[in-house]
Amino acid sequence: MPASAGNASAEASPATPALVLTGGSSGIGAGLAGDLAGEWAVTVVDRDLPREAVPGVSYLRGDITRDDAATTVRESLAERGRTQVEGIVHCAGIGAFGPFMEMPRAEWERLLMVNLHGTLNFIQGMADLVADGGRIVLFSSGTVFKAPANAAAYAASKAGVIGFARSLAAELGAREITVNVVAPGLVMTPLSTSLAAGEENNVSSRAIKRRATIEDFIGPVRFFLSPGSSFVTGQTLVVDGGSIRR
């Protein structure tokens, strides 16, 4: 169901490009919603609605692991006369950490269901609405490349996103739709609060020795959405202050 706040002025002009943003109610997604609103007609879909809506953003409730998220977005766009979107940014995800041999099967299955199967499910349900020359930006994690202990299931779920993006880029390239991935390092959001104790070690491993902020990920996403990235696809950009250098 649409949120009551922030929707009345969401469609300033039919000429404004449309963007669908998952997980836009908190963390990096919320930062992106606030930054992109106005330049894009942003529709956020999330399991939970934000306490404070960004003016001009349409908020919808939906679960990416179920068909209702894509269906709700499609119906909302159609009601507003939108037959296509120019961009999808998929931020929604969850985290769970601990020794893999002690992790209950239900916990790692939930990680795979949301982070990997949820990605496949939502993109499959929405990709046909992306206009030729459009943009799809997915989120993985620098954990895939660092592969620390106690993150096996999470790393596996996020590694799958990278493989998916590379293959999907090949499928959609004929329509000049780009598919790229942002892989953040550790940043303190509701998703990563359980890892706060490791923040100091992460900072010390970085070439740029400071804590990450949500704003650090807005520029990379903007690049992947921009005309300047039209010949960049199937790529993963690690944004972690140089902790991983490759």
Side-chain angles (χ1 to χ4, degrees), residues 38-103:
E39 292 179 50
W40 295 77
V42 178
T43 298
V44 165
V45 59
D46 206 328
R47 290 186 64 184
D48 300 305
L49 302 181
R51 293 181 180 178
E52 295 185 12
V54 175
V57 173
S58 294
Y59 290 90
L60 306 170
R61 196 187 302 275
D63 183 343
I64 61 169
T65 67
R66 300 162 55 91
D67 292 341
D68 75 308
T71 299
T72 298
V73 172
R74 295 177 75 103
E75 291 175 350
S76 176
L77 290 169
E79 289 172 0
R80 289 175 275 153
R82 294 278 186 177
T83 59
Q84 62 183 21
V85 299
E86 283 68 37
I88 297 174
V89 179
H90 179 58
C91 290
I94 60 172
F97 304 92
F100 178 70
M101 298 305 294
E102 300 172 12
M103 181 176 285

Side-chain angles (χ1 to χ4, degrees), residues 2 9 19 35-37 39 45 75 84 100 103 105 109 120 122 138 143 154 169 181-182 235 239:
S9 60
L19 181 138
D35 184 81
L36 297 172
E39 292 179 50
V45 59
E75 291 175 350
Q84 62 183 21
F100 178 70
M103 181 176 285
R105 177 168 179 159
E109 285 185 339
L120 271 63
F122 187 76
L138 309 178
T143 306
Y154 179 72
V181 180
V182 174
Q235 303 304 310
V239 184

Side-chain angles (χ1 to χ4, degrees), residues 4 14 17 29 48 53 77 111 119 127 130 135 139 146 183-184 213 232 240:
S4 59
D48 300 305
L77 290 169
L111 274 174
T119 299
V130 180
R135 304 283 188 266
F139 270 74
K146 281 190 145 181
T213 68
V232 179
D240 70 348

Side-chain angles (χ1 to χ4, degrees), residues 162-199:
I162 293 173
F164 168 64
R166 291 173 176 173
S167 183
L168 187 64
E171 291 191 29
L172 299 182
R175 293 176 53 203
E176 298 191 3
I177 296 171
T178 66
V179 184
N180 291 294
V181 180
V182 174
L186 180 62
V187 56
M188 287 296 103
T189 69
L191 177 66
S192 59
T193 51
S194 64
L195 302 177
E199 175 74 338

